[in-house]
Amino acid sequence: MDLELGGSVAVVIGGASGIGLAIARQFAREGADLALLDIAPSVQAMAGEIREQSGVSVHACIVDAAEYDAMCRAAEEVLATFGRCDHVVVPAGIGSGKFGFPFWNLTPADWDRVLRVNIMAPVHAAHAFAPTMIQTRRGSFQFFASVAAQIGSQTDPPYSAAKAAVVNFTQCAAKDLARYQIRVNAISPGMIKTPLNRSVWEAWNRQQPEANRRSYDDWAEEKIRVVSPLGRWQTPEDVAALSVFLASDRARNITGQTLNVDGGQVMHS
Ligand SMILES: NC(=O)c1ccc[n+]([C@@H]2O[C@H](COP(=O)([O-])OP(=O)(O)OC[C@H]3O[C@@H](n4cnc5c(N)ncnc54)[C@H](O)[C@@H]3O)[C@@H](O)[C@H]2O)c1
């Protein structure tokens, strides 16, 4: 399907790894120029790889999306490079690195960075990039929630709460930006084997008595059998397919939504 994204510029914040990297590759395949932003220095190498493989222009920028000033400087850099910005995708996210069940396994101090990254990165991106998109009266934002946002997941309460806030901010921003024909949606992945998912297992495994500990693959296999009606893992590419669709005009009437790519894990009846 030609999504007609050629000639557009997509900014992927958290594009050096996992889901964000798959999204960046998919936008490049669709012919969009790219700005890859990430706190990890590996973003430079990933940008180089995509540039080489796809032939589109790829600009890399190291930025802590939890810092508003840094995000504003990155936005200026993107606009100076491309002169425009059409789609802003924000998969940057972290967990607490601790097993959060019961919630007092964590201290209140464990919440700070998790909230700062997971909810403030989308907020900072919206503030930094919306003004230029309002001028062109087009484009889209995609923020990242999680199934955890919708079920009060006990695995990592600050993560779950931050993601719920993302769902809510997505609706606020979608309402504000609709009059400028800018759409805002949240994508909610289920279970995807990425460094972030592995860190959830690590936190769980550390907490277990020796006899209960198991390998990531064993833990993952059992977990997916329990939570996923379709009985299989989701992949970064499953999410990337939704992301480019949401950016395209084929999705021109979709805004303010949280779309689950979760094998049916969350179903509202
Ligand atoms: N993997 C899953 O199963 C799963 C499930 C539900 C939701 N999600 C969400 O999907 C998104 C992508 O997750 P992933 O699994 O690909 O994780 P990942 O760890 O592979 O990738 C996250 C990326 O965000 C970057 N990042 C982290 N903090 C940042 C910051 N302050 N500024 C800039 N970049 C930063 C990391 O360096 C990394 O490149 C996250 O928002 C995550 O919460 C993932």
Side-chain angles (χ1 to χ4, degrees):
M1 189 192 308
D2 180 9
L3 294 171
E4 297 175 358
L5 292 172
S8 66
V9 173
V11 181
V12 183
I13 303 168
S17 166
I19 295 169
L21 181 57
I23 288 172
R25 288 183 173 135
Q26 193 61 39
F27 268 102
R29 266 183 228 117
E30 296 290 341
D33 289 329
L34 275 174
L36 273 196
L37 278 52
D38 204 291
I39 197 168
S42 59
V43 69
Q44 305 277 10
M46 295 304 150
E49 196 185 285
I50 295 174
R51 198 179 295 121
E52 214 163 275
Q53 283 167 2
S54 65
V56 301
S57 298
V58 188
H59 180 75
C61 180
I62 298 172
V63 62
D64 181 352
E67 298 299 327
Y68 183 51
D69 289 350
M71 181 70 92
C72 289
R73 283 194 298 275
E76 279 167 22
E77 209 176 295
V78 170
L79 293 172
T81 305
F82 294 110
R84 61 188 286 174
C85 160
D86 302 289
H87 306 291
V88 180
V89 185
V90 194
I94 58 165
S96 72
K98 291 190 178 174
F99 187 56
F101 171 61
F103 71 82
W104 52 88
N105 270 349
L106 274 65
T107 67
D110 290 321
W111 284 62
D112 290 351
R113 181 72 185 163
V114 185
L115 294 180
R116 186 116 199 106
V117 175
N118 289 303
I119 177 61
M120 294 316 289
V123 172
H124 292 161
H127 279 271
F129 287 98
T132 187
M133 291 161 71
I134 284 172
Q135 280 173 15
T136 52
R137 300 179 83 86
R138 64 186 306 274
S140 72
F141 284 93
Q142 295 169 23
F143 301 140
F144 271 73
S146 165
V147 291
Q150 301 160 71
I151 57 172
S153 164
Q154 290 164 289
T155 307
D156 196 352
Y159 176 83
S160 191
K163 293 299 188 179
V166 171
V167 170
N168 196 279
F169 177 60
T170 297
Q171 295 167 342
C172 295
K175 287 175 185 173
D176 290 340
L177 292 171
R179 79 196 69 158
Y180 305 107
Q181 299 303 313
I182 298 165
R183 296 177 295 103
V184 187
N185 291 291
I187 294 180
S188 180
M191 292 276 292
I192 303 187
K193 288 183 180 171
T194 63
L196 189 143
N197 184 267
R198 203 180 165 87
S199 73
V200 173
W201 161 77
E202 270 164 2
W204 174 85
N205 210 38
R206 263 200 313 273
Q207 186 84 9
Q208 299 306 306
E210 193 68 43
N212 287 2
R213 293 196 183 159
R214 62 191 73 167
S215 70
Y216 176 57
D217 285 338
D218 287 352
W219 170 86
E221 197 175 314
E222 184 182 326
K223 184 136 186 144
I224 209 68
R225 245 198 336 266
V226 172
V227 303
S228 170
L230 286 178
R232 60 174 170 252
W233 282 79
Q234 291 79 63
T235 66
E237 291 71 28
D238 292 335
V239 179
L242 174 63
S243 176
V244 290
F245 168 73
L246 280 179
S248 79
D249 271 357
R250 308 268 172 131
R252 69 197 182 103
N253 271 315
I254 303 177
T255 196
Q257 305 303 307
T258 297
L259 294 107
N260 294 334
V261 184
D262 68 348
Q265 190 175 337
V266 175
M267 295 194 198
H268 300 289
S269 52

